[in-house]
Amino acid sequence: MTIDRAPRLGQRVLAPFGRRRCEVSRNLSSGGYRIFSALDRDGPEPSAGQFYMLAADSGWGGDQGRPYLARAFSVADAEPTDDGVRLDFLVQAVGPGTSRLAEPEVGEGLSIHGPLGRPFSAPKEVSDGVAGAILVGGGIGVAPLAIWRRQLLAAGIPARVLLGFRDRANSGGLDLFDCSEIRLASEDGHTGHRGYVTDLLAVLLEGDDAPSAAVYACGPPAMLEAVRTMCADRGVACELAMEAPMACGFGACFGCAIPLSSGGYMRLCVDGPVVRGSEIETTLVRGSGH
Ligand SMILES: Cc1cc2nc3c(=O)[nH]c(=O)nc-3n(C[C@H](O)[C@H](O)[C@H](O)COP(=O)(O)OP(=O)(O)OC[C@H]3O[C@@H](n4cnc5c(N)ncnc54)[C@H](O)[C@@H]3O)c2cc1C
Ligand code: FES
């Protein structure tokens, strides 16, 4: 398997027009999170780092009020089948939309729009001479790293995985990784290293081979900012899958604008959500993270 060339900043990925209907095919608990799968009969296979805008057919909007707008979800895995593409999502219930999507019945209908946004790039595209990957996930941000790890390994690219969680209730998704070679950290010490996942990254970045790998990270804004500055200080290239409040997901509302390091702004839904560390001023975006 090879990894398709990812578009650069300003080059946009076209998504299929309009919304489609999908059927929920699975819903199971994964630690403190839930994994649900949906069969997308007519959509293309997504790339790692892309996301979908999702809404449930029932219990959404209408007379019941919130949630009204669709909610953004990273694709955590995707598998082509004879009937369409099976999409896996990891969800943490933090409000009305995510709570509704954490409890879909098998067979229930979802409205989906996507795949949207700029995906992760292969290590050699992130920086010349880089051949491996270090994946750093925090909390619900582990979702896009699961599909990315699988695609990297299928392309023969070595990937080391570091995942961190706040505590037992705010952890999960390990079932998506299907491997034991993951280094874990937790702030409460319930699993792995007691402390931040960035402590584990600091150790790897001190190694002589650090510049031969690109870092890919997704997680809370403060974690991403730590990753961004650690990589910048050590001259290691990184890509960050970021979050911002997204009302539309396709460039119309400007709710997801974030400052560029070169001045001006990008809309994270069409120019991200994956950004190079050097492209942005900060990951600490107002209204993002929970
Ligand atoms: C590109 C992208 C990918 C995402 N992938 C996932 C995923 O795979 N799994 C998952 O569970 N969640 C994911 N999220 C976050 C998810 O979209 C939000 O948690 C959700 O929109 C909250 O909706 P709600 O109705 O449940 O809660 P709301 O009432 O809308 O918000 C509840 C809390 O979440 C915060 N919040 C709202 N929107 C966001 C946001 N976009 N980013 C961070 N915090 C937010 C609010 O500040 C508030 O504290 C992603 C967001 C983006 C932008
Ligand atoms: S979410 Fe509307 S412009 Fe990005």
Side-chain angles (χ1 to χ4, degrees), residues 81-102:
T81 73
D82 290 345
D83 300 321
V85 182
R86 192 203 75 224
L87 302 172
D88 293 345
F89 298 100
L90 185 68
V91 56
Q92 180 178 26
V94 295
T98 45
S99 298
R100 178 68 192 86
L101 288 169

Side-chain angles (χ1 to χ4, degrees), residues 9-192:
L9 183 61
Q11 299 174 319
R12 293 190 177 139
V13 182
L14 289 182
F17 185 72
R19 290 185 186 163
R20 302 185 296 285
R21 276 196 82 257
C22 279
E23 234 170 60
V24 174
S25 56
R26 165 175 94 138
N27 176 11
L28 46 107
S29 70
S30 179
Y33 305 152
R34 292 199 77 84
I35 297 170
F36 67 92
S37 306
L39 187 64
D40 184 5
R41 293 184 191 277
D42 305 309
E45 201 179 331
S47 298
Q50 289 193 293
F51 68 100
Y52 289 81
M53 298 299 289
L54 301 182
D57 271 3
S58 63
W60 204 277
D63 294 340
Q64 298 165 69
R66 297 191 75 218
Y68 186 70
L69 300 168
R71 300 298 198 255
F73 285 86
S74 306
V75 63
D77 208 352
E79 187 73 40
T81 73
D82 290 345
D83 300 321
V85 182
R86 192 203 75 224
L87 302 172
D88 293 345
F89 298 100
L90 185 68
V91 56
Q92 180 178 26
V94 295
T98 45
S99 298
R100 178 68 192 86
L101 288 169
E103 54 172 36
E105 302 278 337
V106 171
E108 188 181 336
L110 294 182
S111 129
I112 74 162
H113 184 188
L116 298 163
R118 188 155 65 120
F120 290 119
S121 323
K124 65 177 189 307
E125 286 177 47
V126 180
S127 185
D128 285 342
V130 167
I134 301 173
L135 276 48
V136 188
I140 193 69
V142 305
L145 301 180
I147 178 173
W148 188 221
R149 176 189 166 275
R150 192 176 59 69
Q151 291 184 354
L152 287 167
L153 290 196
I157 297 171
R160 287 171 281 182
V161 184
L162 313 175
L163 304 180
F165 300 98
R166 192 188 311 157
D167 52 31
R168 196 180 291 277
N170 290 282
S171 71
L174 297 182
D175 315 72
L176 291 164
F177 283 83
D178 178 32
C179 77
S180 53
E181 292 156 29
I182 297 177
R183 296 214 53 204
L184 295 171
S186 56
E187 288 172 51
D188 68 347
H190 80 276
T191 183

Side-chain angles (χ1 to χ4, degrees), residues 245-256 267 269:
M246 288 189 183
C248 72
F250 47 80
C253 72
F254 285 70
C256 63
R267 281 166 292 171
C269 63

